[in-house]
Amino acid sequence: HPGSALSRSPRPVPTVPPEPRRPARPLGIQVLAALLTFYAMSGVYITAVLATSRPSALRWELVAAGAAGFALTAGLAARAVWRLADAAPRWLVGCGICGALLCIALAVVGDRAAGETRGEIWQFAIAGAILLLAFLALAARYVRREIDARS
C-alpha cells in the first residue's frame, strides 16, 4: 500500500530543546534546612530530658527554657529556609541569638558546680555563642542571596 495513509510517516514536528531546569532548592539550602531540623530536634531532646529528670543539682528550668526557645526558632528557621521565604534570614539570626543564649545558660548552670574550671566554662560558652551566631549570620546572608537570585 505505497500510496495509502498507512504507509506515510507523520510529518516531524519541530521541537524546542528543553530549557535547563534549575533545581527546586539548591543543595546548600537543603543541607542548611536539614541542619536546622537537627538543631530543632536537639533542642526538643534537651528540653524533654531536663523536664523529665529535673536534676536538683542544676537550675534546669533555665536551660530547658533556652533549649525550648532554640528548638522553636530552629524549627521555624528550617521551615522558612526550605520554602526560601523572605523571613528566612531573620529566623536564622533569631535562631543564632537563641542558640547563643542557650550557650550562656549552660555556662550559668555549670558555673555553680565548676569549681576550678569556672573560667574555662565561660570561655567555651562565649566561644560557642559567638561561633553559632556567626555561622547562622553567614547562613542568613547566603539564604538572602538565594532568595534574591530567584526574584
Side-chain angles (χ1 to χ4, degrees), residues 91-146:
W91 280 115
L92 284 165
V93 171
C95 180
I97 291 169
C98 283
L101 290 174
L102 176 59
C103 289
I104 300 303
L106 287 167
V108 167
V109 168
D111 195 36
R112 288 175 48 191
E116 295 176 13
T117 60
R118 181 172 291 167
E120 290 178 1
I121 287 178
W122 279 101
Q123 286 175 353
F124 290 133
I126 291 169
I130 290 170
L131 288 173
L132 184 63
L133 190 54
F135 167 69
L136 289 175
L138 287 173
R141 186 174 174 193
Y142 164 69
V143 170
R144 172 53 53 206
R145 285 184 179 174
E146 286 295 328

Side-chain angles (χ1 to χ4, degrees), residues 45-64 109:
Y45 177 75
I46 292 169
T47 304
V49 167
L50 289 173
T52 55
S53 67
R54 298 181 183 197
S56 60
L58 300 175
R59 291 177 26 204
W60 65 270
E61 298 92 351
L62 181 64
V63 177
V109 168

